[in-house]
Amino acid sequence: MTRRRKVVLTLVGIPLAAVALLATIGSLRDSHIVTVTRSTCADRDVMWELWANVPERVEWDKGLEYINVDGPFEAGTSGTVEVEGRGPIEYRIIEVDPKNGYTDRFESLLWTHTDWHHRIELNTDGCYDVTWELEARGPLSIISLPVLESIFGEEIPIAVDEFVALAESRS
């Protein structure tokens, strides 16, 4: 093998090996993007209704152009959302625990998805902690992590604050 060929193989092989390693790691574990928790004494039923009434989410999530759901608010149902400045994205509800939480999944990059976990949990004050947690999984999740953090790290806290404020005003 010539010296030039060894150099070319090395220059190509090392980055490919790094990408393969990142893809393997991304496929094996969830990559945490952001978690936001707020405490509130809002009525649990009111909070649940705000989540379950999918088309009305634009009232408290100002970054949404629209969001719809193609059936009942239950696991397996899909829908479409359009975030300001981006095209429509399909999602699927993968888990629903009425009045406690739900998770929806967005297929983002090649073989990669993001899960949005939403929970309402009783806290020690007798009120509730409302938590939104965003995680990514798949071969490109680690690579996309900085972009997702920069986008959602700012948007999610604002949406959670708006959600809690609306729930409190309706309770």
Side-chain angles (χ1 to χ4, degrees):
M1 186 179 306
T2 67
R3 179 173 171 80
R4 182 177 178 172
R5 188 174 183 135
K6 286 180 184 178
V7 169
V8 170
L9 285 175
T10 301
L11 291 175
V12 171
I14 290 174
L16 284 176
V19 169
L21 177 63
L22 289 174
T24 301
I25 292 169
S27 296
L28 297 176
R29 68 177 194 86
D30 290 331
S31 297
H32 176 263
I33 297 168
V34 64
T35 300
V36 176
T37 300
R38 299 290 188 260
S39 295
T40 181
C41 288
D43 184 272
R44 179 180 233 146
D45 292 334
V46 170
M47 290 187 285
W48 184 255
E49 180 56 32
L50 288 174
W51 279 341
N53 189 350
V54 176
E56 296 299 317
R57 290 183 188 176
V58 295
E59 187 174 351
W60 48 266
D61 192 339
K62 306 299 186 197
L64 300 179
E65 292 288 329
Y66 71 85
I67 184 168
N68 64 41
V69 63
D70 301 328
F73 189 67
E74 61 186 33
T77 302
S78 60
T80 306
V81 61
E82 186 167 343
V83 178
E84 218 173 88
R86 299 174 192 100
I89 304 167
E90 292 183 17
Y91 71 94
R92 186 171 28 93
I93 301 169
I94 61 170
E95 177 184 42
V96 174
D97 181 8
K99 298 184 183 179
N100 293 309
Y102 76 98
T103 300
D104 42 23
R105 176 170 290 166
F106 294 77
E107 303 297 332
S108 48
L109 301 170
L110 190 61
W111 305 302
T112 302
H113 63 264
T114 54
D115 286 346
W116 293 68
H117 306 284
H118 306 78
R119 294 185 306 276
I120 302 170
E121 300 171 309
L122 191 61
N123 64 26
T124 57
D125 298 332
C127 292
Y128 300 99
D129 288 335
V130 178
T131 301
W132 293 13
E133 182 177 18
L134 180 57
E135 297 177 322
R137 176 173 242 170
L140 301 179
S141 64
I142 290 178
I143 296 167
S144 65
L145 195 57
V147 173
L148 293 171
E149 284 175 338
S150 71
I151 294 169
F152 296 114
E154 294 177 15
E155 290 181 14
I156 292 176
I158 294 168
V160 176
D161 289 342
E162 291 286 331
F163 171 83
V164 167
L166 185 58
E168 288 173 347
S169 75
R170 292 185 179 181
S171 293

